[in-house]
Amino acid sequence: MKILVVDDSSTMRRIIINTLSRIGYSDVVEAEHGKSGLDKLGQGGVEMIITDWNMPEMDGLEFVTQVRGGNPNIPILMVTTNAAKEDIVSALQAGVNNYVVKPFTPETLKEKIESLLG
Amino acid sequence: MPRGGNMESSENDALKKGRAKGSSRPGNGNGKEATPTDSQSHDGREAVNQSAEVINSLAFGMEAALPGTHPKSEEGGAHLINEIDSVSAVTEWETHKVMDQLDLISQLVGRQQELITQVMHHPGAQEDGVQKSLYEIMNAGKNIQTKVFEAVNLMQFQDITRQKLERIVYHLRQIHDYIVELLGTGNKTEERPETFSHNIAKISTTPDERKTYADSVVNEFKRGMQKE
């Protein structure tokens, strides 16, 4: 399964990819903002997306909205520092399937990924 | 000489003047209010002017430091955003170095475990005591790998700190623009799209600090969608 990880922080991308690898998902593509994420998605094969919210060029909310325009079923997990209720609701309305607030434990990320794929 | 040094001196001078003015506030020394006179009214105007000078000096200092402003002089020119970017880049770089070392430790432990597995299959290591010891070494290695993995995960602090710094810059820009607006001097910061939430207080520090809350909001939303 190919997973797209979109985050402007290379540290965060590495941590997420490390966690994915540990739970058996090593086919990962990276993008540092929404625009780049759309490009990577356009190359095909992506079956799940993990995205940050606060990014330059195109933020996660806009990215999710655009993805949902052409991919209604692809599972999307948002991983962000935004923890306000209105933020979470906005993300869900835009089309994310689940939401993780940074910082997170590996167990939480694993739980959310598995629940999306299960 | 860096512009910051001049600014500091200018601020200090203005502040000293302000304090000196504060010590000569109207009053007759016996605790009763003095009747306003022309000279006191003059003092009042001067105090306001000096306060304005202090505020202006602060705004000028912030202007030199804040992103998106055009300082009146090229001297110094160290913009806060550059400083913040620099700090973020350095911490990110150093964080990756730490993560590289942790990955290396994990790989070395993995290699050690491969070697131990080979030894366990060796005919000369089939005694119960030897096998038990080798299992214990294997388990200790697994524990090290788990701890290393947890340590890598804790490196999220670098991204969290970066985002907090960005929010602080945002709020400083707001204060700067307010002062500029108030005094009608200096340059306001350029309009720029914000790429972060503005609320510093809502950024978690401890892993999973907001998990229960976020899960409850998600579940509530999904229940609401099912009802519709």
Side-chain angles (χ1 to χ4, degrees), chain B residues 121-160:
Chain B
H121 291 101
H122 193 277
Q126 296 308 308
E127 274 184 37
D128 286 351
V130 174
Q131 286 285 313
K132 190 183 170 201
S133 297
L134 290 172
Y135 269 115
E136 284 173 3
I137 295 168
M138 285 282 278
N139 283 334
K142 282 179 185 166
N143 286 338
I144 292 170
Q145 284 185 316
T146 301
K147 291 296 172 194
V148 165
F149 175 67
E150 287 172 4
V152 169
N153 200 64
L154 289 173
M155 296 298 155
Q156 287 177 77
F157 87 91
Q158 189 272 324
D159 182 46
I160 305 290

Side-chain angles (χ1 to χ4, degrees), chain B residues 168-184:
Chain B
I168 290 167
V169 171
Y170 171 81
H171 289 293
L172 284 173
R173 287 171 58 209
Q174 297 288 305
I175 295 168
H176 168 267
D177 286 353
Y178 175 74
I179 294 172
V180 168
E181 184 82 35
L182 192 71
L183 298 176

